[in-house]
Amino acid sequence: MTSSTDRPLTGRVVAVTRPPEQAAELVDALVALGARVLEIPTIAIIDAPDAGAALATAVDHLDSYAWIVLTSANGARRFVAAAPRPPWPAIAVVGPKTADVLGVEPALVPDRFVAESLLEVFPVGTGRVLLAQAAGARRVLAEGLAAKGWTVDAVTAYSTEPVRPKRELLHELATADALTLTSGSASVVLEGQRLPPVVVAIGPVAAAAARTRDIEITAVAEPHTVEGIVDAVTQALRRVDG
């Protein structure tokens, strides 16, 4: 017999804002705990403004790089699509989900899955680093790597664009129990909307972006993974219940 301990989200409605092609893991994890999931994508992943030209040029000269730095699974997918088969230069990734896309073991993964933690463990050096990231990405990695002596080629691997949800989805969102934010870009779309009482961000960057839009964050996942955000949602809803 399945107990409420096994399925602590039974009867709950949890909104997921990831693009449909990337939402399955989070949706499945929430459903496994009994939740009804409201899929309300707020961003779409699209090509870089240059249609990948800068990344393709960098890939043509991979042997000139000492390191490849990938900040997201989206960037890793674009890199793998553009790059020849391994062997590749040493690869550093921000988190394990990015590493999963590669099909090889990265040389460097920080204990905490944020750019600042990767910088803390990244070695000092004087070679070249290829940094593949999203359009408009924070400058923290490019500047931090340069400060450690590296010559950094920061290229745009992909872009995101906001997706405006249908009115009926926004109405249903307002009546949900919890909202998950896995990207800072989601906050742009949700600013000013009526939101559930529990809002959980996957990491500090997403949380900070939400707060700049006056979205109150209930909890930040730790670790910054699907497992972490599911646990944070579960614990936050328990606290709401008292």
Side-chain angles (χ1 to χ4, degrees):
M1 178 180 296
T2 301
S3 70
S4 59
T5 302
D6 298 324
R7 292 169 62 84
L9 297 180
T10 297
R12 301 293 197 175
V13 178
V14 181
V16 170
T17 55
R18 278 187 161 171
E21 67 274 14
Q22 297 179 0
E25 184 182 8
L26 178 54
V27 169
D28 290 348
L30 291 166
V31 169
L33 295 183
R36 180 170 75 83
V37 174
L38 172 63
E39 292 193 59
I40 181 166
T42 54
I43 63 169
I45 307 301
I46 61 174
D47 287 341
D50 66 356
L55 180 59
T57 298
V59 162
D60 284 342
H61 301 89
L62 272 188
D63 58 359
S64 68
Y65 293 104
W67 284 90
I68 310 296
V69 177
L70 302 170
T71 61
S72 71
N74 290 314
R77 290 186 188 96
R78 301 293 171 127
F79 171 77
V80 170
R85 295 179 180 234
W88 294 320
I91 295 183
V93 298
V94 170
K97 298 305 178 185
T98 306
D100 289 345
V101 175
L102 298 171
V104 299
E105 190 71 23
L108 191 60
V109 184
D111 291 334
R112 296 185 68 250
F113 310 138
V114 292
E116 288 81 356
S117 293
L118 180 58
L119 275 177
E120 289 176 6
V121 296
F122 204 90
V124 173
T126 57
R128 301 187 71 83
V129 173
L130 172 59
L131 171 60
Q133 55 189 358
R138 295 187 302 151
R139 295 285 303 164
V140 60
L141 266 177
E143 294 174 355
L145 292 169
K148 286 199 164 190
W150 297 99
T151 299
V152 181
D153 291 341
V155 302
T156 299
Y158 67 98
S159 298
T160 63
E161 65 179 8
V163 174
R164 181 64 58 181
K166 295 180 179 179
R167 183 176 298 178
E168 54 266 31
L169 276 177
L170 290 174
H171 177 75
E172 194 171 357
L173 172 63
T175 65
D177 297 292
L179 167 68
T180 62
L181 295 177
T182 52
S183 166
S185 302
S187 303
V188 176
V189 175
L190 297 176
E191 183 179 13
Q193 299 294 328
R194 185 181 167 202
L195 301 179
V198 167
V199 179
V200 176
I202 197 168
V205 176
R211 292 179 180 119
T212 64
R213 303 281 175 173
D214 294 323
I215 296 174
E216 184 175 346
I217 296 297
T218 309
V220 177
E222 186 60 57
H224 314 315
T225 61
V226 165
E227 294 80 5
I229 202 167
V230 171
D231 183 63
V233 167
T234 303
Q235 297 303 324
L237 287 171
R238 283 175 176 162
R239 288 193 297 271
V240 168
D241 288 342

